[in-house]
Amino acid sequence: MSLQHFSTKDRILHAAEELFAQQGFASTSLRQVTSRADVNIAAVNYHFGSKDNLVNEVFRRRMDDMSAERLKALRLAVDSHPGELEPILAAFVEPALAMAQDRHGGGAFIRVIARAYAESNDSLRKFLSDQYGHVLREFAKALSGCMPGLGKEALYWRLDFLSGALTYAMADFGLIKRPSGVSEATHRTRAAKALIRFAAAGFKADEP
């Protein structure tokens, strides 16, 4: 995809996202980013200041919108379906799957997320915790209200398991592929419903 019609900042972000997805964070140099984006190193320094900040901004431009959609859906779920588990899980799952299917780089960003899991990057992990930890805490609070007998440790384990399963589903490299003739939207809806049912059973399971 040509980057020429984007702003300089967006071209840098697009190029960085693609390279991080392909090579990882440590193996991608700013020189490679500038070459892919067709800009000079001064442009990267002007817009981002450092490679760490560039990594952070690649996440921010996707996750800000997704987090806002999640919290909006969570408020609606709690108000419209008080005490019900599945609508809360849907608020967590559906915006993420929608973002993964975004034709404007959603697939590349999923691979970037996978890199974040695989690589040890303390700066990135701190950024994600500082910027988006409140989203997980809001979901944990809402889920706890549905299952008051579930301990905090068990709740967070199950939320971690859901996050991992969701990331796998977003990557769409599992056993279930989109069948020929089925639209991406339909496939995403089916995946969301299956994951929500699976997660609900896991959250409701008795502690050992």
Side-chain angles (χ1 to χ4, degrees):
M1 179 176 64
S2 172
L3 300 178
Q4 295 304 314
H5 63 288
F6 291 107
S7 70
T8 298
K9 183 175 181 180
D10 282 337
R11 280 159 53 198
I12 295 168
L13 287 169
H14 277 292
E17 184 176 75
E18 290 174 354
L19 287 165
F20 293 153
Q22 294 166 7
Q23 303 176 173
F25 307 111
S27 297
T28 298
S29 69
L30 288 181
R31 291 290 180 188
Q32 289 174 311
V33 173
T34 58
S35 177
R36 176 73 65 92
D38 193 22
V39 299
N40 58 39
I41 195 71
V44 176
N45 291 330
Y46 173 77
H47 287 289
F48 303 102
S50 69
K51 182 178 174 181
D52 281 347
N53 284 339
L54 175 58
V55 172
N56 293 347
E57 289 303 315
V58 165
F59 278 84
R60 189 195 299 275
R61 72 168 182 154
R62 303 284 185 190
M63 293 191 65
D64 277 4
D65 288 344
M66 184 182 73
S67 296
E69 288 298 318
R70 277 176 160 173
L71 291 175
K72 178 181 176 182
L74 176 61
R75 288 191 292 270
L76 181 61
V78 171
D79 290 344
S80 303
H81 306 279
E84 293 185 27
L85 180 61
E86 285 80 358
I88 295 171
L89 295 174
F92 189 78
V93 167
E94 290 173 356
L97 287 176
M99 186 267 291
Q101 294 295 326
D102 183 354
R103 292 183 178 274
H104 300 291
F109 184 65
I110 303 312
R111 295 193 295 277
V112 173
I113 292 176
R115 293 284 187 180
Y117 277 106
E119 295 187 24
S120 178
N121 188 322
D122 292 338
S123 174
L124 174 59
R125 291 184 181 185
K126 183 179 186 305
F127 169 79
L128 294 175
S129 176
D130 290 347
Q131 294 296 315
Y132 306 107
H134 70 285
V135 178
L136 288 178
R137 289 191 292 272
E138 286 296 320
F139 274 91
K141 180 181 176 181
L143 290 166
S144 180
C146 298
M147 300 167 295
L150 187 65
K152 183 177 180 180
E153 182 178 0
L155 174 64
Y156 274 88
W157 270 116
R158 294 175 194 197
L159 193 51
D160 268 352
F161 295 152
L162 171 60
S163 297
L166 176 57
T167 301
Y168 191 88
M170 290 163 71
D172 197 27
F173 54 64
L175 296 175
I176 305 299
K177 298 296 184 183
R178 179 165 64 91
S180 176
V182 174
S183 70
E184 289 184 0
T186 298
H187 182 60
R188 183 176 71 236
T189 299
R190 290 176 180 174
K193 288 181 177 178
L195 180 54
I196 290 163
R197 286 195 300 269
F198 179 82
F203 273 97
K204 292 173 182 176
D206 292 335
E207 290 191 72

